[in-house]
Each structure stands twice: as C-alpha cells, then as structure tokens.
Amino acid sequence: SVYVRRQAQHLVTLPQIGVMVVLGNNGWVWVCAPPKVAGSGRQETLNFSQMDVRYEQVSDALRERICRVRNAVLALAAQGLEVTPETITFAYEQSLQRGLAAWELLDASR
C-alpha cells in the first residue's frame, strides 16, 4: 500500500496510548487492545498461540482510545499521508490538544 511502508516492526503498541496497531503491508490496519501473553509478560509477538483468546470487557476509556486511533488512521489516509506509529501518535495527540472528540477526526472541515 502507498500509505503503509515496510517497517522494522508492524505489530506495535503505541506508547502513552496503550492501543495495539497492526500495520499490514497490504494496506490493512488493525487496531485493538493490547493482548495479554500467558506467562512471559511480553505483549508483542507473532506467535498467536501464546495469546489469551478469551473475549474480555473493554473499558469506556480504552474504547475511546481505540476509536481515536482508528479515526487518526483514516484521517491520515484521507489526506494521502503515510501511516506509521509516529504519524498515528502525532495525529492522536493533536486531536487531544485541539479538544476534538474522536468522531471529529473524520470531519474534513476541522
């Protein structure tokens, strides 16, 4: 994809946000709560057999962060900008500083 370039790591938990992002080379982006890995305490792994696959309740605060990250990704792509952990974090932080609600990131007039 034009927006997602090859990187050293495509499975990233965004620092200070606490949301996991998977940036696929095919242009697909997955946003979710960081998984819990049984035993090791390590979160980012491509060995999904180690992950706890139970569904769990997501807090309203985490749900809002996931929505804001998702909308930041869509806003970056809509403007033709590269989607990287750094640009996602920048758009996320700018939306907070400007006092925007998560849904307002999708409003082109803002």
Side-chain angles (χ1 to χ4, degrees):
S1 170
V2 177
Y3 305 119
V4 179
R5 65 177 160 86
R6 186 169 295 280
Q7 300 174 51
Q9 191 170 13
H10 287 268
L11 194 68
V12 181
T13 299
L14 299 173
Q16 291 98 28
I17 300 175
V19 172
M20 183 174 164
V21 178
V22 180
L23 301 170
N25 280 333
N26 60 358
W28 285 65
V29 178
W30 292 265
V31 183
C32 62
K36 296 180 179 78
V37 177
S40 70
R42 184 165 177 233
Q43 293 185 339
E44 281 132 24
T45 178
L46 290 176
N47 186 358
F48 288 103
S49 65
Q50 293 179 356
M51 292 187 185
D52 187 4
V53 292
R54 291 183 311 223
Y55 291 107
E56 59 184 68
Q57 193 73 16
V58 177
S59 69
D60 288 343
L62 179 56
R63 184 180 305 270
E64 195 273 334
R65 292 195 313 265
I66 290 170
C67 291
R68 188 177 295 275
V69 168
R70 176 226 184 237
N71 292 347
V73 169
L74 290 175
L76 289 167
Q79 296 301 315
L81 299 172
E82 193 171 61
V83 178
T84 66
E86 294 80 18
T87 58
I88 295 169
T89 302
F90 180 78
Y92 180 95
E93 290 173 352
Q94 286 297 307
S95 71
L96 288 176
Q97 286 179 6
R98 296 170 193 259
L100 299 176
W103 67 269
E104 290 178 303
L105 287 165
L106 300 179
D107 186 358
S109 66
R110 297 187 183 270

